[in-house]
């Protein structure tokens, strides 16, 4: 496995709920042809399949809690293997959610060359998610669950940024700006990789 993807770049995309990770990843795909793997989307696909495992996941996600590490990591790994031959880079969106997830990823798959830290204010994220909730159909885009996701983000996920900062691979992106300006900074960070 590690073999197969050893030449592909691995980029972690980390930020709070509604910070704009998915929005920026879509633009990176369009410009750079990287493979976008959203851990949340992979989990939602499993829920949509109606499987027994999906039912368990649905309950966890509805509460805004974290799905067991191995479940998410296995899904990401399978998706990466499926694309390994054709992909020159992977955007791992919404993962790691806690330092331990990052450590396990590196053991089983490989090391990231960049962490894009998509940063927006708490109130901005809540506003965006409430708006998205009007049409997203996402069971977790409601006021109560948004608050829990945000709390968990500050508690569990922000330490991930400190962890990778010490390695010098974090680029902090101000996501309060208009989407295209945010993307300008994202593109710069990716261009600097070469
Ligand atoms: N004004 C503004 N809105 C944005 C920006 N980026 C994203 N949004 C909006 O904010 C909402 C959330 O964006 P997503 O890209 O889905 O955020 P995410 O970080 O993937 O969120 P989760 O999937 O919940 O983790 C969407 O409705 C976007 O249209 C931005 O840079 N500026
Ligand atoms: N690595 C991950 C990613 C998502 N999840 C779950 O999936 C939900 C949605 O993830 P997401 O990345 O689409 O959305 P946000 O919570 O970041 O807004 C999270 O609230 C968690 O319940 C997880 O447990 N572990
Ligand atoms: Mg997303």
């Amino acid at each position: 496995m590690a073999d197969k993807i050893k030449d592909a770049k691995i980029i972690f995309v980390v930020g709070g709920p509604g910070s704009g990770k998915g929005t920026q990843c879509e633009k990176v795909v369009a410009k750079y042809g990287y493979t976008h793997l959203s851990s949340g989307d992979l989990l939602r696909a499993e829920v949509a399949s109606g499987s027994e495992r999906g039912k368990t996941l649905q309950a966890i996600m509805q509460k805004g809690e974290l799905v067991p590490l191995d479940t998410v990591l296995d899904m990401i790994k399978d998706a990466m293997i499926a694309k390994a031959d054709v992909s020159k880079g992977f955007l791992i969106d919404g993962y790691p959610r806690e330092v331990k997830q990052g450590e396990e990823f590196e053991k089983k798959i490989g090391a990231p060359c960049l962490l894009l830290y998509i940063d927006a204010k708490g109130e901005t994220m809540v506003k965006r998610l409430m708006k998205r909730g009007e049409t997203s159909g996402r069971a977790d885009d409601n006021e109560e669950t948004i608050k829990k996701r945000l709390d968990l983000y500050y508690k569990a996920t922000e330490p991930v940024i400190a962890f990778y900062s010490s390695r010098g691979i974090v680029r902090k992106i101000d996501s309060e700006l208009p989407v295209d300006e945010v993307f300008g900074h994202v593109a710069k960070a990716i261009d600097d990789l070469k």
Side-chain angles (χ1 to χ4, degrees), residues 8 10 37 59 72 84 87 97 101 119 141 147 158:
I10 295 174
L37 296 175
V72 191
S87 193
R97 288 296 232 263
Q101 289 192 358
D119 182 43
D141 279 348
K147 188 174 177 305
E158 275 203 342

Side-chain angles (χ1 to χ4, degrees), residues 132-148:
R132 188 177 73 183
E134 291 168 12
T135 53
S136 69
R138 269 179 61 165
D140 58 353
D141 279 348
N142 63 76
E143 201 168 354
E144 195 190 336
T145 311
I146 290 169
K147 188 174 177 305
K148 288 194 197 151

Side-chain angles (χ1 to χ4, degrees), residues 16-24 44 93 128-129 132 138 149 175 177-179 182:
S19 57
K21 303 179 294 292
T23 302
Q24 292 302 319
R44 281 186 287 278
D93 164 5
R128 288 180 186 173
L129 290 177
R132 188 177 73 183
R138 269 179 61 165
R149 286 153 69 197
S175 185
L177 302 166
V179 175
V182 177

Side-chain angles (χ1 to χ4, degrees), residues 11 58 82 91 108 113 117 156 165 176 183 186:
I11 299 176
Q58 160 92 2
L91 294 165
K108 291 196 175 154
C113 56
Y117 166 28
S165 287
E176 294 285 337
F183 183 63
V186 166

Side-chain angles (χ1 to χ4, degrees), residues 15 30 32 90 144 150 158-159 161 190:
Y32 297 90
F90 290 97
E144 195 190 336
L150 208 56
E158 275 203 342
I161 294 154
I190 293 176

